[in-house]
Each structure stands twice: as C-alpha cells, then as structure tokens.
Amino acid sequence: MLDIAGELHRWCGEGRAFAVATVVAVEGSAPRQPGAALAVDAEGTVVGSVSGGCVEGAVYELCRAALESGESVRERFGRPGDRPGEDDFATGLTCGGVLDVLVVPVLPDAPGRAVLAEALAAAATGGPVALARVISGPAGLLGRALLVRADGTYAGTLAESGGPDRAAAAEAAALLAAGRTGTVTVGMESGAGVRCGDPVTLLVESCLPPPRMIVFGAVDFAAALVGAGKFLGYHVTVCDARPVFATAGRFPEADGIAVDWPHRYLDAQQAAGALDARTVLCVLTHDPKFDVPLLERALRLPVAYVGAMGSRRTHEDRLARLREAGVAEPALDRLRSPIGLDLGARTPEETALSIAAEIVALRHGGTGAPLTGVRTPIHREPRGLGSVA
C-alpha cells in the first residue's frame, strides 16, 4: 500500500472513499511481491497494480464490492482452472504462482482512516514509517491497522482491548529498522473477545528515506550512472575533489554535489551517521591518489556495495596498493572490481547499465546469467541492499 502512498495521500486529503487491494502473500513465481497495491475510488479511478495485469480486473471488482459492503476480504489467486468448477479461462496467474490479496475499504468515516492517512502522509514524503495490518486472525479484525514510527511510538489499535498492539509495534519497529516488508505473528490477550493466545498475522510494510548512492569521480560515466541510480530509487551524490568538474550543471539529476577529497568526504559522512547498510559506493576515478585512501576506508564500512572502475591491470595494481595499506583479504573480497556485469558495455550509458545490473543482482541474490536455460528462481528474497519502495 505504501508503494502508492503519494496518490492515496492526495485521495485522503480530498475526502475520497476508496478501497485498497494489497498483495499479502506470494507462493512460487508471481509478478509482484507483498506490499504491492492497487486502489479504486468511488468513481472507479484506479492507481497501482497487484499482478502486472493477470488478475487486475478481478481485483478491481473486489475493490468495488468492498466499497459497497464496507467489509474487508482476503482472496487467493492461483493458476486459471485450479479451483473446483473453474475452467481454463478463469482469472488467475498464468505464471504458475499463487497470490493472496487483502482488500480493505477506506471510507471517509471509518475509525481507522486517520491512522492510514498519517501513514500515507509520512510515506509520501519519504518516511520513516511502518504500517502493520491484520491479514489473518480472529473474525472482525481483518484489515485493522497500526502505524509505527521510527521512535517506536504507534497509533491505532488492532483490537478493542489493545492486547496485541505493543507486541505488534515492537515487531514492526524491528522490520522498519531493517527497511523490510514482511509478515509477523503475535498472540492475542484475553478481553479482546477471543481466546487468550489466538494468533494474529500482520503484514508490515516499511518505508524509509531512499537509500544512498555515492558516485566518486565527476566523469562522463558518472553522469550516466547518476541517471541509472535515480531510476532505481537512490538518493545520488557525486563527489570529486576538482571543482571545475563537480558542478550541478554537469550533473543536473544528482541530489547533491560534494567538492572534496573522496576519502575525506566519506569520513565525514560516516561520522555524521549518513551511511547505512543500504548505501552503495561507486568509485569511478581510477586514479590511485583518490582510489586507495577511499577504498581503504570504504571496504571497512558496513555498506551494501563497493565497486571500483578500471581495467584488470588497474584492478591488480589497486589490490596491491590496498594490501600495502593494510586492508585484509576478507575486506578485499567485498570489492566489486572491475565494476559492473559483463555486458560488453562500451558507452557511458551501457556501462551505467552494467553497474546498475550488478547492484540489483547483488541485492536480490541474482547470478547475472541469462534467464534462458537457467533453473534458478526468477524472484528472490532481498539480500540487504535495501528496499526503495
């Protein structure tokens, strides 16, 4: 749901009634992952997607029905014809996966609308915020929402007794800190109208400010990489010690330009707490006086990716210099150099594509090999470079 927060925040501000369908579980191959959402307002306007087209029509109708009934519903979509009595032309996922979708009406006078509105407002401006919603559990709780802020405080309630709220908020805060979207299960407490210990399963959607990409070296390849980084959802900074090259005019798409020695800038960012486990560092200078002191520091930081441009000869020389500087082999193993995947890239744009592809492959555990003839899963769980949703 937070992936379409900007539009839904506007709808809330306009007082619109709408229903939101959110992917809450996936089995096998499916085009969208948990958290992907489609919304329909009372006029029939649609934003978002839950399947890339396979089941959008059926989900649209579920949203329209939810607006009429005011009731939340969870629906499962598998292969066409899988259900008893269905033929091969029934709605379903032709890719062979299974998709569970939660549909929740958000009416102007709904008690939980204020919680959703606050979550949408925060997500629309970059967070940080987590939204936890009941996707299975005792009857009547489906779709209930809890908003969790970065400081651990929360708003809303999952049950009248407030029984599961504290545990749910703690679980959601942990996922928010990791920048992850996922499901958690917490127990109910007596007094909620259900048996003590009855479980409630929640989908927790996390929204954090965009992860950072820092491009060192204000070269023509950097200009192309800035565009690729922005396309992938990164907040991109270009750093170079040469003020004549590091200008906003040369990098209009960059979020920031830093004129400083690369290693000194990196030290300052680390001291300011501006780097995290989602940060990617791309070193394009291929000049030892810049590269070595920078990489000596970068390879010791808990960032997601460190890549450096250069020929294989440059790479071997760089490794020798880093060893002389005292960088240990486990740290050197983290260096992606020569940077990028083997696409045969020649132009700056092609090179930027190869670097971006390597970052995506590393994030999701991809091999970088052609999918044709490969038996590995197409979709994998994220591996730590951070969600940009």
Side-chain angles (χ1 to χ4, degrees):
M1 177 176 177
L2 299 186
D3 67 334
I4 52 174
E7 190 68 18
L8 296 189
H9 174 51
R10 184 172 68 83
W11 286 8
C12 281
E14 294 171 352
R16 295 195 203 186
F18 58 92
V20 182
T22 306
V23 177
V24 298
V26 169
E27 297 176 14
S29 180
R32 302 298 305 275
Q33 295 300 300
L38 176 150
V40 181
D41 73 359
E43 302 300 317
T45 304
V46 181
V47 295
S49 169
V50 293
S51 72
C54 307
V55 301
E56 310 293 73
V59 172
Y60 174 86
E61 295 300 333
L62 286 173
C63 287
R64 298 282 288 182
L67 282 170
E68 291 289 331
S69 68
E71 299 292 329
S72 299
V73 63
R74 178 170 171 166
E75 187 76 13
R76 170 165 287 202
F77 297 94
R79 284 184 60 83
D82 277 355
R83 297 181 186 181
E86 281 187 342
D87 60 32
D88 290 339
F89 295 98
T91 299
L93 298 178
T94 55
C95 57
V98 176
L99 205 65
D100 279 30
V101 175
L102 174 68
V103 181
V104 178
V106 184
L107 305 178
D109 58 351
R113 185 178 174 108
V115 171
L116 292 178
E118 183 180 344
L120 293 170
T125 57
V129 69
L131 181 65
R133 287 184 291 161
V134 177
I135 61 173
S136 69
L141 301 188
L142 192 66
R144 292 279 188 96
L146 195 72
L147 172 146
V148 181
R149 307 178 186 94
D151 62 2
T153 60
Y154 58 90
T157 185
L158 302 178
E160 283 72 13
S161 69
D165 293 350
R166 183 174 297 179
E171 295 280 3
L175 284 174
L176 176 59
R180 293 184 52 227
T181 289
T183 56
V184 298
T185 300
V186 298
M188 295 288 292
E189 295 182 5
S190 59
V194 294
R195 297 190 309 274
C196 178
D198 276 357
V200 175
T201 301
L202 311 165
L203 174 69
V204 180
E205 298 177 66
S206 295
C207 181
L208 290 173
R212 295 193 66 190
M213 172 185 285
I214 306 178
V215 181
F216 296 97
V219 297
D220 51 355
F221 290 95
L225 183 56
V226 168
K230 295 296 293 181
F231 179 76
L232 292 178
Y234 286 92
H235 180 282
V236 185
T237 301
V238 176
C239 175
D240 197 297
R242 303 164 297 177
V244 68
F245 294 111
T247 67
R250 295 191 70 225
F251 302 96
E253 292 186 81
D255 296 292
I257 304 292
V259 180
D260 202 349
W261 277 76
H263 71 278
R264 190 165 59 191
Y265 177 75
L266 189 66
D267 285 345
Q269 294 300 294
Q270 173 67 3
L275 309 176
D276 61 24
R278 303 181 300 153
T279 302
V280 302
L281 307 176
C282 301
V283 182
L284 308 187
T285 46
H286 50 84
D287 183 332
K289 68 176 178 290
F290 294 123
D291 291 358
V292 174
L294 172 61
L295 290 172
E296 180 185 352
R297 291 159 170 80
L299 292 171
R300 294 186 172 111
L301 295 177
V303 295
Y305 175 91
V306 181
M309 177 176 280
S311 67
R312 298 195 184 280
R313 177 179 295 178
T314 298
H315 171 66
E316 292 302 325
D317 176 70
R318 183 187 290 136
L319 288 180
R321 291 172 183 268
L322 288 169
R323 290 188 180 103
E324 289 177 6
V327 180
E329 293 301 320
L332 290 177
D333 289 342
R334 297 182 56 217
L335 178 60
R336 315 294 292 196
S337 174
I339 195 170
L341 297 184
D342 180 12
L343 305 183
R346 292 182 178 274
T347 67
E349 291 75 19
E350 291 173 344
T351 302
L353 176 62
S354 78
I355 297 169
E358 183 174 51
I359 291 170
V360 172
L362 187 61
R363 177 195 299 169
H364 297 295
T367 65
L371 290 174
T372 302
V374 173
R375 297 298 180 182
T376 53
I378 295 175
H379 304 293
R380 298 172 172 84
E381 288 297 316
R383 299 186 69 181
L385 266 72
S387 169
V388 294

